[in-house]
Amino acid sequence: MPQMRFIILSGAEGVSFVEMPASHAYQLSALNLRLHKEIDKLTASNVPTLPYAIAECDNVDLHDKSLTIHSGLDYLNQLEQSFSAIEEKSYPLISLLTEIRALQAQLEQWYEEEMEG
């Protein structure tokens, strides 16, 4: 069983948990920080609201049944869809999308290798 980590996100919709391979968890936290640093520079009207990565941990035992754990790949797919839908004219959005897609591709490769092994 591969080592997994959990990134805890907090935003307008409450707290959520994203499960990532331990080898890639820090990349999601760093991506979240980078997106928050740049999101205010976007001028489009359809900029998504992003939760903040507030913590990482090795294990999560959820006691609140309303909370769920999302797979990292599902989270990144949703993030990519949200950012690719932005109609930005002034800011070079492609650099943010490139970072999202790079981590997305790394996770896809990780899952493929896990399934083979």
Side-chain angles (χ1 to χ4, degrees):
M1 184 86 176
Q3 177 73 25
M4 302 300 275
R5 284 187 61 84
F6 300 87
I7 291 78
I8 303 168
L9 303 170
S10 178
E13 297 179 11
V15 175
S16 59
F17 299 84
V18 178
E19 182 181 47
M20 292 285 288
S23 57
H24 295 75
Y26 74 94
Q27 289 176 278
L28 180 58
S29 293
L31 176 62
N32 181 271
L33 290 172
R34 168 107 164 93
L35 292 175
H36 273 288
K37 181 179 174 185
E38 301 297 326
I39 203 163
D40 290 339
K41 297 175 184 174
L42 299 175
T43 61
S45 61
N46 61 334
V47 175
T49 57
L50 273 180
Y52 285 90
I54 58 171
E56 288 184 31
C57 57
D58 290 328
N59 296 306
V60 171
D61 291 322
L62 295 179
H63 299 283
D64 183 342
K65 300 297 181 199
S66 69
L67 298 174
T68 58
I69 297 173
H70 306 279
S71 90
L73 190 54
D74 289 344
Y75 179 78
L76 281 165
N77 288 340
Q78 180 217 2
L79 191 63
E80 193 277 337
Q81 288 175 357
S82 296
F83 272 79
S84 64
I86 298 172
E87 297 176 17
E88 180 63 37
K89 305 279 189 264
S90 303
Y91 183 81
L93 182 64
I94 193 70
S95 65
L96 299 179
L97 274 169
T98 300
E99 291 183 45
I100 293 168
R101 290 173 179 157
L103 183 52
Q104 191 178 26
Q106 288 177 29
L107 269 187
E108 287 172 353
Q109 181 180 358
W110 184 89
Y111 279 108
E112 284 177 18
E113 290 172 0
E114 281 300 310
M115 292 178 126
E116 289 174 3

